[in-house]
């Protein structure tokens, strides 16, 4: 289901990000700018979930809960303590990371489905609490948040989103090329074996969980500051499904996958927006389903397969040679 | 006595209930890509004979049986049953053609009673209730299973008793080719010799072809006809039971010598 | 210091408690119906079916449109909804989840999780797109309020829902414990390899498990429409509750989710009376987390490592 990230793909991802920003710069229509801000918001969510689920193998359903934690904490610290919004967003992200640490310690003892269910339950508790505790959170009406920038909001947010995404991908690249990257994949592919070899799997998973929760919280704060509003619907199952879908459609476990997936989703949303959110969700869920059934490696898988077809034939022939079995050489 | 199977759809199919040779040629298995556990194994289980497969731990004996029974990913080679290609068949289709497996690790249904477990052995002929009752009765008598155990939960039985029930269940499956993976592991010596007696009687009494994997080399050699030695996923040696018995010391010493260096003469 | 029982205050307290427990039992029966269906699939295939809530929603709508189009009485509508839910469940597994059985997937449980999650998103949004997000309702069999023991009042439809749930639960227990199909399901739940070697057709049995589970979920949706109405997102809180029940009772244990359903019903009813009604959804989830923490196998579960 996953292939190793290559430098080419990284370059491709960076190019796509820059292209999106450039597009926003060239076409200064407010609708497009708005769409690009949404793109970066979802990109941060999808890319960080991909790091957790695709590379470390932990199918969490609590990602949007961390996003909304970041958003609410940012909004309330700014509102109550009078912190500038930019600082509040960072505080929110840190709070999300702490929440991630807590939830991670609690849930990462479980594997596979039990882990998914436990994170699912945590996300559910948080959402229900946000709606129920209306005296603190504003209930289903949500909470307003102060803006970060004055003046041309959207364009500033495009640049901010671009900067944050580039930072995310740069850090991810460093992470994956360090020994952490190998350990994460080892835990994903064969956790018992990795444990047997002395990898502290639970520590590693908790660390990655908290780190990705940080990015989810940051994305939440970014979004709250842009819309100047937070509501519990952000943490809904539907949004979790969309983020998950973006990663899968793009190609789970690859670096550029989330970028492509988010792009696909934003295009659908852009063109179906006038009809109401259900159309977007319906179309995208359909694409997700088709991807799962016929294109399990997502768009990246398709691209890799196409590229391979155009490679020099000898090279392919060499790759197809079976490796000699280590014990096959006769005793001398 | 176990009742012989009546004519069913399965019996009507080619190679249905007539004992035939089971032949594996160049069988390759890899659970993960590029890690071949079997690298071209050649084993023939001749009809109405007991063929024994021995080899050091991790040689791939269990993997071989699983591959034949459709439970391990075959990446190359061929398995035929009386000339019919049965490579990569699903376990239930194999069973319909009389090939049954008793794996090494526990495969009983722990929350069911022993009787229900035995009934599950007759899953493919579950509509024939009368036949099923009779053959359960027959098998319980044949293996001298204490009566009071029949209605106990299988999970509450001792390890050895569970192993015995598994073998009994495979009898209910009325196989013509029976693949047994270490059937006496965990059984007391008395029980083990009883099980060996039963196995030894299978080809003569019921015309069953037996492919036996065993670590209890001395006892199993005594009842076997043909012997294959596997090591590192390859054929290492073969011969008649008498031949191998004579050379046994030499063969097992060879296993020790190989150690982890993994060099195997092919 | 306890007050004498004759004191009006304590009598009132008692009556509230009894009323709460009875209401909790009534809804608990329907919860059990949902949980048992989900857990059947869990046991047989070791996968979580996120589309369970969508099947519940489909059942609600099917019953609504059946009564609307044909004027059929409620029992017919419920049976019709079960047929629809059963067929949808069957085909979801037979067509969409086919790769799980027929090709070697690296992570079958992940595949099922994502496919059923996508299906659930799709069903919910499709209902909103094609059937509008409006709330719909049909008249139940027994719309009057009934009074038990002189102080417990509850809607007759609630009683109807409870009785229907009980009947279906008994039918399922019979199916699981006294038929060959049920024995096959139990075999798959208890030892997958054992079931393989005795020749159980996993795919066929899984299809039937999905069909049964879908029919039960649809029935639950149908009987609750007169009380809670039909709308596109009606399955969302139900799927959460079903998972709570499954975890509570233990993965793969039918008896466990039966008990779990009633426990959840009582917990919600008691919680909303004695703690606060704004947090109904939270009580179950908190119980689930506590169970996961201290009793990872649930009340009657099979070993967690097997799952
Ligand atoms: N499901 C599996 N996935 C990956 N590797 C496996 C699997 N089953 C077995 N192996 C590997 O295949 C090799 C052979 O195993 P197998 O069980 O066939 O050995 P064996 O000859 O039966 O040994 P023993 O005498 O201990 O039973 C071992 O190295 C084992 O690690
Ligand atoms: Mg073995």
């Amino acid at each position: 289901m996953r292939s190793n990230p290559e430098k080419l793909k990284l370059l491709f991802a960076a190019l796509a990000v820059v292209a999106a920003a450039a597009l926003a710069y060239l076409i200064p229509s407010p609708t497009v700018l708005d769409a690009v801000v949404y793109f970066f918001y979802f990109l941060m969510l999808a890319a960080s979930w991909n790091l957790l689920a695709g590379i470390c193998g932990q199918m969490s359903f609590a990602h949007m809960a961390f996003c909304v934690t970041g958003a609410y904490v940012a909004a309330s610290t700014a509102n109550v303590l009078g912190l500038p919004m930019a600082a509040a967003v960072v505080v929110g992200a840190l709070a999300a990371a702490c929440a991630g640490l807590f939830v991670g310690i609690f849930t990462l003892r479980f594997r596979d489905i039990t882990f998914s269910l436990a994170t699912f339950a945590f996300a559910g508790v948080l959402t229900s609490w946000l709606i129920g505790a209306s005296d603190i959170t504003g209930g289903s009406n949500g909470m307003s948040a102060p803006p970060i920038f004055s003046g041309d909001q959207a364009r500033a947010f495009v640049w901010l989103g671009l900067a944050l995404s580039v930072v995310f991908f740069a850090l991810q690249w460093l992470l994956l090329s360090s020994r952490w990257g190998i350990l994460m994949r080892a835990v994903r592919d064969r956790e018992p074996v990795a444990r047997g070899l002395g990898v502290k799997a639970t520590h590693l998973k908790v660390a990655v969980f908290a780190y990705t929760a940080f990015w989810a919280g940051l994305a939440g704060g970014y979004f709250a500051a842009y819309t100047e509003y937070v509501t519990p619907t952000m943490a809904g199952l539907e949004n979790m499904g969309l983020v998950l879908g973006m990663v899968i459609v793009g190609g789970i476990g690859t670096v550029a996958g989330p970028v492509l997936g988010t792009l696909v989703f934003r295009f659908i949303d852009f063109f179906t927006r006038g009809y109401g959110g259900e159309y977007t969700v319906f179309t995208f869920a359909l694409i997700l389903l088709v991807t799962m059934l016929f294109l399990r490696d997502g768009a990246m898988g398709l691209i890799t397969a196409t590229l391979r077809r155009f490679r020099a034939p000898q090279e392919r022939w060499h790759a197809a040679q079976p490796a000699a079995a280590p014990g096959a050489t006769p005793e001398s | 006595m176990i009742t012989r199977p009546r004519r069913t759809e399965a019996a009507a199919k080619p190679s249905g209930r007539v004992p035939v040779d089971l032949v594996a040629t160049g069988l390759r298995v890899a659970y993960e890509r590029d890690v071949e556990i079997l690298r071209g194994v050649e084993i023939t289980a001749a009809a109405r004979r007991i063929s024994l497969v021995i080899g050091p731990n991790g040689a791939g004996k269990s993997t071989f049986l699983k591959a034949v029974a459709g439970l391990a990913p075959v990446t190359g080679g061929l398995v035929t049953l009386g000339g019919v290609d049965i490579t990569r068949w699903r376990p239930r289709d194999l069973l319909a053609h009389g090939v049954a497996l008793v794996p090494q690790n526990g495969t009983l249904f722990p929350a069911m009673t022993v009787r229900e477990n035995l009934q599950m052995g007759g899953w493919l002929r579950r509509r024939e209730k009368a036949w099923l009752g009779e053959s359960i009765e027959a098998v319980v008598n044949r293996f001298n299973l204490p009566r009071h155990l029949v209605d106990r939960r299988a999970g509450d039985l001792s390890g050895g008793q569970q192993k015995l029930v598994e073998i009994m269940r495979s009898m209910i499956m009325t196989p013509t080719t029976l693949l047994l993976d270490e059937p006496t592991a965990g059984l007391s010596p008395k029980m083990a010799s009883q099980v060996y007696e039963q196995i030894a009687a299978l080809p003569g009494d019921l015309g069953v072809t037996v492919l036996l994997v065993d670590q209890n080399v001395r006892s199993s050699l005594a009842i076997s006809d043909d012997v294959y030695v596997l090591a590192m996923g390859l054929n290492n040696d073969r011969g008649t039971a008498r031949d191998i018995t004579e050379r046994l010391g030499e063969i097992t010493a060879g296993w020790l010598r190989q150690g982890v260096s993994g060099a195997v003469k092919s | 210091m306890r007050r004498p029982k004759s004191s009006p205050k304590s009598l009132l307290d008692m009556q509230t408690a009894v009323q709460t427990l009875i209401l909790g039992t009534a809804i608990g029966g329907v919860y059990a119906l949902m949980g048992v269906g989900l857990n059947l699939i869990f046991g047989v295939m070791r996968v979580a079916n996120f589309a369970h809530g969508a099947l519940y929603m489909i059942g609600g709508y099917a019953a609504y449109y059946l009564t609307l189009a044909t004027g059929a009485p409620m029992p017919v509508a419920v049976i019709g909804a079960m047929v629809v839910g059963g067929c949808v469940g069957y085909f979801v597994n037979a067509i969409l989840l086919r790769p799980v059985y027929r090709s070697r997937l690296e992570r079958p449980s992940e595949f099922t999780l994502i496919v059923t999650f996508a299906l659930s998103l799709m069903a919910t949004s499709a209902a909103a797109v094609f059937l509008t997000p409006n709330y719909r309702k049909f008249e139940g069999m027994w719309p009057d309020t009934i009074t038990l023991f002189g102080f417990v009042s509850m809607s007759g439809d609630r009683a109807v829902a409870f009785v229907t749930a009980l009947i279906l639960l008994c039918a399922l227990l019979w199916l699981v414990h006294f038929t060959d199909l049920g024995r096959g399901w139990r075999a798959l739940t208890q030892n997958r390899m054992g079931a393989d070697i005795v020749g159980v057709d996993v795919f066929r049995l899984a299809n039937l498990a999905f069909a049964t589970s879908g029919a039960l979920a649809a029935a639950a949706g149908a009987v609750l429409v007169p009380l809670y109405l039909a709308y596109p997102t009606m399955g969302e809180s139900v799927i959460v509750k079903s998972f709570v029940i499954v975890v509570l009772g233990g993965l793969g244990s039918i008896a466990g989710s039966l008990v779990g359903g009633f426990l959840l019903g009582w917990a919600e009813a008691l919680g909303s009376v004695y703690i606060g009604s704004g947090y109904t959804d939270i009580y179950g989830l908190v119980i689930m987390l506590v169970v996961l923490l201290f009793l990872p196998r649930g009340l009657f579960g099979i070993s967690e490592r097997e799952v």
Side-chain angles (χ1 to χ4, degrees):
Chain A
M1 208 160 157
R2 290 132 174 137
S3 56
N4 284 332
E6 295 157 21
K7 284 192 179 153
L8 186 75
K9 291 180 192 168
L10 189 77
L11 194 75
F12 192 79
L15 258 157
V17 175
V18 173
L23 202 70
Y25 193 71
L26 292 175
I27 310 167
S29 131
T31 344
V32 177
L33 283 180
D34 184 59
V36 176
V37 172
Y38 271 74
F39 168 80
F40 284 123
Y41 164 61
F42 278 114
L43 177 61
M44 276 187 264
L45 287 171
S48 53
W49 190 77
N50 176 50
L51 185 61
L52 178 63
I55 292 168
C56 199
Q58 309 303 312
M59 277 271 162
S60 163
F61 281 83
H63 210 58
M64 290 313 288
F66 297 129
C67 167
V68 94
T69 304
Y72 269 94
V73 171
S76 42
T77 44
N79 287 339
V80 177
L81 304 179
L83 231 60
M85 189 59 186
V89 168
V90 176
V91 171
L94 289 174
C98 290
L101 201 63
F102 173 73
V103 175
I105 289 170
F106 195 98
T107 57
L108 282 162
R109 315 181 307 146
F110 306 119
R111 274 200 256 148
D112 293 341
I113 296 173
T114 323
F115 169 74
S116 296
L117 289 185
T119 52
F120 187 79
F122 261 110
V125 168
L126 184 74
T127 323
S128 309
W129 181 78
L130 286 177
I131 297 172
S134 46
D135 44 336
I136 308 172
T137 60
S140 46
N141 291 329
M143 190 190 273
S144 67
I148 290 186
F149 308 105
S150 48
D152 188 0
Q153 272 261 17
R155 198 176 303 276
F157 270 100
V158 167
W159 292 119
L160 180 61
L162 178 67
L164 288 177
S165 302
V166 167
V167 169
F168 175 87
F169 278 101
L171 286 179
Q172 178 178 275
W173 183 70
L174 284 178
L175 198 64
L176 291 187
S177 43
S178 73
R179 59 188 270 279
W180 283 71
I182 300 163
L183 294 184
M184 278 157 75
R185 292 201 187 89
V187 165
R188 174 190 75 192
D189 293 331
R190 294 229 113 177
E191 184 171 335
V193 176
R195 275 180 194 277
L197 294 175
V199 177
K200 287 198 170 140
T202 309
H203 292 202
L204 179 86
K205 289 194 290 184
V206 170
V208 175
F209 199 72
Y211 176 71
T212 53
F214 172 86
W215 278 96
L218 199 63
Y222 169 79
F223 190 70
Y226 176 68
T227 55
E228 299 177 20
Y229 214 73
V230 283
T231 64
T233 47
M234 273 168 83
L237 214 50
E238 189 179 277
N239 274 341
M240 188 62 237
L242 291 176
V243 168
L244 177 151
M246 287 171 222
V247 175
I248 306 255
V249 168
I252 188 165
T254 62
V255 173
V259 183
L260 288 179
T262 312
L263 218 54
V264 170
F265 171 69
R266 290 315 309 158
F267 269 106
I268 294 169
D269 187 50
F270 193 76
F271 290 110
T272 56
R273 186 166 250 185
Y275 307 98
E278 301 86 40
Y279 280 84
T280 316
V281 178
F282 179 70
T283 320
F284 194 65
L286 191 67
I287 293 181
L288 172 58
L289 199 61
V290 170
T291 309
M292 277 312 280
L293 292 179
F294 302 109
L295 200 70
R296 227 158 284 150
D297 293 329
M300 274 320 287
L302 191 69
I303 291 173
T304 321
T306 318
L307 282 183
R308 203 175 295 145
R309 194 169 303 165
F310 285 112
R311 284 213 184 118
Q314 311 97 297
E315 201 185 332
R316 261 211 293 165
W317 189 80
H318 276 295
Q321 282 279 77
T329 41
E331 206 167 11
S332 49
Chain B
M1 268 312 298
I2 295 178
T3 31
R4 293 293 302 139
R6 307 195 188 112
R7 270 189 76 84
T8 58
E9 305 97 89
K13 284 178 197 161
S15 75
R17 292 293 166 189
V18 196
V20 284
D21 291 358
L22 179 95
V23 183
T25 34
L27 197 64
R28 291 174 173 274
V29 172
Y31 289 108
E32 290 149 72
R33 213 176 303 162
D34 303 334
V35 187
E36 283 199 324
I37 302 294
L38 297 189
R39 299 178 278 141
V41 170
E42 320 265 340
I43 284 177
T44 300
R48 287 170 181 269
R49 284 166 80 87
I50 298 180
S51 307
L52 176 67
V53 180
I54 54 176
N57 289 120
K61 307 181 296 294
S62 300
T63 302
F64 171 72
L65 288 195
K66 281 197 236 167
V68 172
L71 291 168
V74 174
T75 50
L78 209 62
V79 185
T80 57
L81 184 70
V84 180
D85 184 357
I86 57 163
T87 322
R88 298 189 192 83
W89 278 22
R90 290 180 304 163
R92 67 179 264 108
D93 297 332
L94 287 168
L95 200 56
H97 280 63
V99 181
L101 167 73
V102 181
Q104 186 172 9
N105 40 352
T107 52
L108 289 187
F109 309 113
M112 290 188 190
T113 63
V114 169
R115 184 184 301 280
E116 279 183 299
N117 267 286
L118 295 178
Q119 280 173 355
M120 282 307 295
W123 176 260
L124 290 186
R125 298 171 69 185
R126 57 189 177 281
R127 303 253 151 67
E128 305 164 45
K129 297 283 181 217
W131 167 82
L132 197 54
E134 277 166 34
S135 37
I136 288 173
E137 205 53 33
V139 165
V140 169
N141 289 335
R142 190 184 162 111
F143 280 81
N144 295 324
L145 187 77
R147 280 280 147 187
H148 68 275
L149 291 183
V150 172
D151 289 308
R152 287 266 293 277
R153 261 172 43 104
D156 295 342
L157 264 49
S158 78
Q161 289 168 332
Q162 293 191 17
K163 193 80 205 181
L164 190 68
V165 174
E166 271 186 77
I167 297 170
M168 289 165 63
R169 188 177 64 184
S170 72
M171 294 291 108
I172 310 272
M173 298 188 218
T174 56
T176 45
T177 308
L178 184 59
L179 315 176
L180 289 167
D181 199 346
E182 306 199 16
T184 57
L187 293 188
S188 68
K190 184 161 166 282
M191 210 53 174
S193 63
Q194 197 192 329
V195 168
Y196 280 126
E197 259 169 51
Q198 300 288 351
I199 296 172
L202 283 174
D205 288 3
L206 305 171
V208 176
T209 308
V210 178
L211 186 54
L212 179 65
V213 164
D214 215 320
Q215 293 286 8
N216 197 346
V217 180
R218 297 254 166 231
S219 314
S220 50
L221 271 172
I223 60 164
S224 311
D225 302 309
D226 310 318
V227 182
Y228 295 85
V229 181
L230 283 192
M232 303 292 293
L234 286 169
N235 283 65
N236 182 281
D237 210 334
R238 75 178 66 182
T240 61
R242 176 175 306 179
D243 173 28
I244 296 290
T245 313
E246 277 164 13
R247 296 192 287 120
L248 196 60
E250 179 196 330
I251 291 168
T252 42
W255 296 351
L256 292 177
R257 216 176 331 107
Q258 280 159 23
V260 276
S261 75
V264 172
K265 84 184 152 181
S266 34
Chain C
M1 270 276 296
R2 291 179 64 183
R3 289 158 190 252
K5 279 207 165 157
S6 55
S7 136
K9 177 80 165 62
S10 115
L11 187 68
L12 217 62
D13 284 351
M14 269 277 293
Q15 291 184 347
T16 317
V18 170
Q19 154 121 10
T20 312
L21 280 178
I22 289 182
L23 287 181
T25 310
I27 196 68
V30 185
Y31 286 171
L33 197 59
M34 291 296 293
V36 161
L38 188 62
N39 216 354
L40 177 66
I41 294 184
F42 212 113
V44 169
M45 301 162 54
R46 301 289 149 86
V47 297
N49 175 18
F50 273 83
H52 202 60
L55 285 159
Y56 169 89
M57 185 264 294
I58 288 171
Y61 272 105
Y64 168 76
Y65 280 105
L66 256 170
T67 41
L68 188 75
T70 65
M74 179 144 161
V76 178
V78 172
I79 291 171
M82 286 180 71
V83 171
V84 173
C87 290
V88 173
Y90 187 95
F91 287 111
V92 163
N93 191 57
I95 298 171
L96 300 178
L97 296 183
R98 195 183 177 82
V100 173
Y101 311 90
R102 289 293 187 256
S103 54
R104 277 184 189 278
L105 290 181
E106 249 177 76
R107 288 145 193 271
S109 68
E110 218 168 75
F111 179 86
T112 325
L113 195 107
I114 295 167
V115 167
T116 54
F117 199 58
L119 272 176
S120 135
L121 278 184
M122 227 170 86
T124 311
S125 50
V129 167
F130 298 110
L131 308 175
T132 75
N134 294 341
Y135 285 63
R136 291 158 197 284
K137 181 183 179 176
F138 60 81
E139 192 77 338
M141 259 171 88
W142 197 356
D144 319 323
T145 301
I146 50 175
T147 311
L148 296 171
F149 317 125
F151 63 89
V152 178
S153 58
M154 93 177 163
S155 149
D157 286 331
R158 215 169 267 271
V160 171
F162 178 65
V163 171
T164 316
L166 273 195
I167 294 172
L168 290 175
L169 284 172
C170 289
L172 181 77
L173 283 181
W174 173 79
L175 195 63
V176 167
H177 287 283
F178 297 101
T179 64
D180 281 330
L181 177 65
R183 193 173 331 116
W185 281 341
R186 280 185 291 141
L188 274 171
T189 307
Q190 290 171 27
N191 194 324
R192 181 65 185 265
M193 191 173 188
D196 263 338
I197 61 166
V198 298
V200 171
D201 189 345
V202 181
F203 187 51
R204 201 181 129 253
L205 256 62
N207 282 339
L208 293 176
F210 249 92
T212 309
S213 163
L216 294 183
V223 293
L224 287 186
V225 171
L227 292 164
Y228 297 138
L229 315 179
Y231 51 95
T233 53
M234 67 193 270
E236 267 178 21
S237 70
V238 169
I239 181 73
V240 179
K241 290 187 208 302
S242 308
F243 278 132
V244 170
I245 295 166
V246 168
V247 171
L248 198 60
L251 304 174
S253 163
I254 300 283
S257 37
L258 211 68
V259 176
F262 285 106
L263 285 181
L264 180 66
W266 293 327
E268 282 192 3
L270 291 174
S272 59
V273 168
Y274 296 106
I275 304 177
S277 60
Y279 303 101
T280 318
D281 288 338
I282 295 191
Y283 305 127
L285 289 167
V286 169
I287 293 178
M288 168 169 166
L289 290 176
V290 171
V291 168
L292 271 178
L293 190 62
F294 296 107
L295 212 69
R297 288 165 169 218
L299 299 176
F300 303 87
I302 42 183
S303 143
E304 198 229 335
R305 229 186 302 149
E306 289 169 35
V307 176

